[in-house]
Amino acid sequence: DQQVKQNSPSLSVQEGRISILNCDYTNSMFDYFLWYKKYPAEGPTFLISISSIKDKNEDGRFTVFLNKSAKHLSLHIVPSQPGDSAVYFCAASTTGTYKYIFGTGTRLKVLA
Amino acid sequence: GAVVSQHPSRVICKSGTSVKIECRSLDFQATTMFWYRQFPKQSLMLMATSNEGSKATYEQGVEKDKFLINHASLTLSTLTVTSAHPEDSSFYICSASVGQAINSPLHFGNGTRLTVT
């Protein structure tokens, strides 16, 4: 039972364009969502998070959008840079716990 | 920024031996650390929650006698894979929360690639 899904295993984007990574969840108890970036043989690096009381959170080039009714969140990277090439994981949890449920990741490749 | 250090980064061991993985919070104290496991091309799966000074809490399906966790200080948690078998080969990652707020994000170590031959 995959509670957090990233249906696109890979995505290629031209440098300077927008990258949109998507994530869907099924558990309505989730109220805290995060995006992590991961390079091979390294641990995930925290990028940005959003609480369910918001529908948007922005940090520099990264913006996370949350659509609670659709149980969907997305990460927008604008403009995309070659250094953004990595695997991106979304994660979800319930406030007060650190039981992060991770998606299976989307490999982003930004082409120069 | 918060740093979680994990050691070793890579280990190869023979079947039947035990391997210890260390996870340290370098510039903050972590009363709770978390151990994850990642199989190739799969998501990170929480194995257990390591609590300083008390027993770890294991997720369903994780054998606590197989994966021994010790959290003896506020900056160190260890995971010992006992009597390792080839199916234990995986990428193990620890994490810790830096802030005191309920929703402080977890920060992860760089992981340990375990290969059991």
Side-chain angles (χ1 to χ4, degrees):
Chain A
D1 177 26
Q2 190 71 24
Q3 297 185 67
V4 179
K5 298 178 184 178
Q6 292 175 258
N7 291 319
S8 298
S10 64
L11 174 69
S12 290
V13 172
Q14 207 66 36
E15 181 180 7
R17 306 296 288 268
I18 184 172
S19 294
I20 300 176
L21 297 101
N22 294 302
C23 180
D24 297 292
Y25 62 96
T26 58
N27 190 338
S28 57
M29 297 299 291
F30 291 146
D31 58 6
Y32 182 55
F33 305 88
L34 311 93
W35 282 95
Y36 283 85
K37 175 181 180 181
K38 185 179 182 299
Y39 294 112
E42 292 186 12
T45 302
F46 170 71
L47 277 177
I48 193 168
S49 64
I50 188 167
S51 165
S52 61
I53 60 173
K54 292 185 172 183
D55 53 20
K56 177 182 175 181
N57 189 25
E58 194 171 351
D59 184 1
R61 296 186 298 115
F62 302 93
T63 303
V64 56
F65 294 92
L66 176 62
N67 182 333
K68 289 185 289 293
S69 60
K71 294 190 178 66
H72 176 83
L73 65 154
S74 60
L75 174 68
H76 292 209
I77 306 173
V78 183
S80 301
Q81 299 172 354
D84 296 328
S85 298
V87 178
Y88 289 78
F89 288 92
C90 66
S93 72
T94 304
T95 296
T97 78
Y98 282 103
K99 286 195 175 184
Y100 287 10
I101 306 298
F102 282 86
T104 50
T106 296
R107 181 176 301 278
L108 173 66
K109 189 171 184 179
V110 180
L111 307 169
Chain B
V3 178
V4 176
S5 175
Q6 197 171 332
H7 178 80
S9 58
R10 188 181 293 269
V11 60
I12 301 173
C13 71
K14 291 187 176 179
S15 187
T17 61
S18 295
V19 173
K20 180 185 283 189
I21 303 169
E22 292 187 349
C23 179
R24 295 181 185 272
S25 54
L26 294 188
D27 50 1
F28 65 100
Q29 293 184 330
T31 55
T32 305
M33 291 185 176
F34 305 87
W35 287 95
Y36 285 80
R37 180 176 182 176
Q38 185 187 21
F39 290 104
K41 297 184 180 180
Q42 295 190 23
S43 62
L44 288 77
M45 304 296 294
L46 178 64
M47 297 174 64
T49 302
S50 170
N51 303 298
E52 188 268 334
S54 65
K55 290 183 179 180
T57 305
Y58 291 81
E59 294 301 302
Q60 191 173 12
V62 178
E63 299 175 58
K64 56 185 173 185
D65 294 330
K66 175 105 182 132
F67 299 99
L68 299 179
I69 291 173
N70 183 276
H71 194 155
S73 78
L74 288 172
T75 59
L76 174 64
S77 174
T78 61
L79 168 69
T80 301
V81 183
T82 63
S83 186
H85 288 100
E87 58 265 30
D88 299 323
S89 298
S90 190
F91 192 57
Y92 294 87
I93 317 173
C94 70
S95 65
S97 173
V98 176
Q100 297 300 314
I102 291 176
N103 280 335
S104 297
L106 290 179
H107 292 264
F108 287 81
N110 272 339
T112 298
R113 169 72 61 195
L114 171 63
T115 303
V116 184
T117 60

